[in-house]
Amino acid sequence: MSPFSYAKAHDAAEALQLAGAHAARYLGGGTNLVDLMRETIEAPASLVDVTGFAAAIEETDGGGLLIGAATRNTAVAEHRAVRERYPALARAIVAGASAQIRNMATMGGNLLQRTRCTYFYDNEGSRCNKRQPGQGCDAIEGFNRIHAILGASDQCVATHPSDMCVALAALDAVVHTRGADGERAIPFSELHRLPGDHPEIETVLAPGELITAIELPASSLAANSTYRKIRDRASYAFALVSVAASLELDGGRVKDVRIALGGVAHKPWRARKAEAALVGQPATDVHFRDAALAELADARPLRDNSFKIELATRAIVATLGELTGAAA
């Protein structure tokens, strides 16, 4: 681990001042960043500790929830309003990590997790454009069973690791930030980037921009939502495929639906083609499968991960089927 300076900020204004002065990274729970520093994949010159910020979960005027970025994952997963009104989020957090990690990890930090691609972590023997732009991507011709089938490029085929972010994508969350140019609200589906020619740039955040809160809008859909994760082992493995979905029925037909996928792309993948295909259709497995196939028609599997297309299809059908029973 390279030497670095450390400072603790007491509020967002102080954090921005410290980060601007030292080209710093923000430190929340450190459950990903510190690992990357130990592996010498990241070597920030300075860390600004933001764990002392308010960690509140508050009602909004519109009937939603506003979650402070410093709030621990455990506090969110256990919060009564989250469990009752946004169950997909609570289930995704619990599926994502051990209790010890959930107790440390912050909501803002979870949004900024970096990929668990083995070639990204192999700092000595593998080429990785995300770690060192222009170097190449050994995953494309390597062992790529866990890699992307949607939205990848010839520069990067890594997937986004967060479970929580998949749920937030399906719940139409909004990310609130503060930076040198003031405050802004970013629709969750626009926060993360696809790799394109610059996989090292993973979000639309400007240098030094600080995530301050995550907003869950009021939703008639969200209470009937869930999260399903498919992985190689039950004990805290990353998803091969995951699905977050919410569903509302009207007379046995789909009135409204939200679907997001994890484990298939460089960012949490909002399945808008599947959503559009389902609205107004009978809520049956046949129509669920047709919608899933419409979403996955553009999938471009690699040598080792073509199974993800059928796996994702079945996962979507099973998840929507579960919600259909709850909505009936």
Side-chain angles (χ1 to χ4, degrees):
M1 184 181 289
S2 302
F4 60 90
S5 63
Y6 168 89
K8 187 174 181 66
H10 297 91
D11 56 31
E14 185 179 10
L16 290 170
Q17 181 182 16
L18 289 168
H22 301 288
R25 293 289 304 277
Y26 296 119
L27 177 68
T31 56
N32 185 211
L33 177 58
V34 173
D35 284 345
L36 292 169
M37 291 171 65
R38 288 195 186 108
E39 298 292 334
T40 67
I41 295 167
E42 294 205 23
S46 181
L47 296 180
V48 175
D49 188 332
V50 295
T51 55
F53 290 12
I57 303 175
E58 302 173 340
E59 296 280 346
T60 66
D61 292 340
L65 292 177
L66 188 68
I67 304 171
T71 309
R72 305 290 179 173
N73 287 181
T74 293
V76 176
E78 293 180 350
H79 196 277
R80 182 171 181 177
V82 174
R83 292 164 66 92
E84 292 180 352
R85 290 152 53 183
Y86 307 94
L89 177 57
R91 292 169 188 169
I93 291 172
V94 172
S98 67
Q100 293 92 334
I101 292 176
R102 295 197 304 269
N103 289 342
M104 283 293 296
T106 63
M107 294 295 287
N110 194 308
L111 270 57
L112 301 179
Q113 286 188 75
R114 305 199 71 188
T115 184
R116 266 47 176 203
C117 171
T118 52
Y119 297 96
F120 173 71
Y121 271 86
D122 183 11
N123 201 17
E124 299 297 328
S126 298
R127 298 178 304 155
C128 174
N129 288 319
K130 183 180 288 294
R131 190 180 63 242
Q132 186 174 337
Q135 190 178 59
C137 175
D138 279 345
I140 292 175
E141 298 298 332
F143 182 62
N144 43 45
R145 181 173 178 272
I146 67 171
H147 290 76
I149 59 172
L150 291 167
S153 72
D154 59 3
Q155 300 297 312
C156 182
V157 293
T159 56
H160 195 275
S162 173
D163 294 278
M164 186 188 83
C165 286
V166 182
L168 292 174
L171 294 171
D172 292 317
V174 177
V175 178
H176 293 267
T177 69
R178 184 170 173 179
D181 296 327
E183 299 179 355
R184 61 173 174 158
I186 306 169
F188 195 85
S189 60
E190 298 175 13
L191 176 66
H192 299 96
R193 299 176 71 256
L194 292 176
D197 292 332
H198 291 283
E200 76 279 8
I201 305 173
E202 298 173 352
T203 72
V204 299
L205 298 178
E209 190 170 6
L210 175 68
I211 296 173
T212 57
I214 300 162
E215 181 179 354
L216 300 175
S219 170
S220 60
L221 281 169
N224 187 37
S225 66
T226 193
Y227 182 75
R228 181 180 296 257
K229 180 177 183 178
I230 302 167
R231 47 192 165 179
D232 282 326
R233 65 181 190 276
S235 180
Y236 307 115
F238 293 98
L240 292 170
V241 169
S242 65
V243 181
S246 57
L247 182 69
E248 185 175 1
L249 299 182
D250 183 7
R253 292 181 177 269
V254 177
K255 181 179 179 181
D256 206 357
V257 63
R258 299 288 185 273
I259 305 169
L261 304 176
V264 298
H266 196 257
K267 60 183 286 184
W269 186 268
R270 181 67 178 269
R272 297 188 187 276
K273 291 181 180 178
E275 294 171 0
L278 279 172
V279 173
Q281 297 298 318
T284 67
D285 284 359
V286 171
H287 288 92
F288 296 160
R289 184 173 179 85
D290 287 345
L293 291 174
E295 186 65 44
L296 293 160
D298 295 329
R300 297 293 180 266
L302 301 163
R303 183 191 62 238
D304 301 321
N305 68 359
S306 59
F307 71 93
K308 283 193 176 188
I309 296 175
E310 180 62 20
L311 186 61
T313 300
R314 295 187 184 193
I316 291 170
V317 172
T319 305
L320 294 175
E322 176 185 345
L323 293 175
T324 300

